[in-house]
Amino acid sequence: MKRHNLLSLTFLFSLVISLSSCSVIEGIFKAGVWSGVLLVVVVIAVIIFIIMKVMGK
């Protein structure tokens, strides 16, 4: 096994041991929620921008 792969595997193993599964899942869902909120805000802003351009002509 290459040294880089062994180092990555060791890091991943220590990360899994140091974090409980609940906190890992919680972090993933928090990131997902904020990504979703940001995406919805951007989509609404683009729709409003398009409507303003169409109505402004």
Side-chain angles (χ1 to χ4, degrees):
M1 186 179 276
K2 294 182 182 178
R3 180 172 168 79
H4 182 268
N5 289 343
L6 183 61
L7 184 62
S8 296
L9 193 60
T10 304
F11 176 73
L12 181 64
F13 184 70
S14 65
L15 185 67
V16 168
I17 289 175
S18 66
L19 296 174
S20 71
S21 60
C22 291
S23 66
V24 171
I25 298 300
E26 178 185 5
I28 291 170
F29 277 111
K30 280 184 180 179
V33 167
W34 285 112
S35 299
V37 169
L38 182 63
L39 183 64
V40 168
V41 168
V42 168
V43 168
I44 290 173
V46 168
I47 291 172
I48 291 172
F49 177 76
I50 291 172
I51 291 173
M52 292 293 212
K53 286 291 187 178
V54 169
M55 296 294 188
K57 288 186 175 182

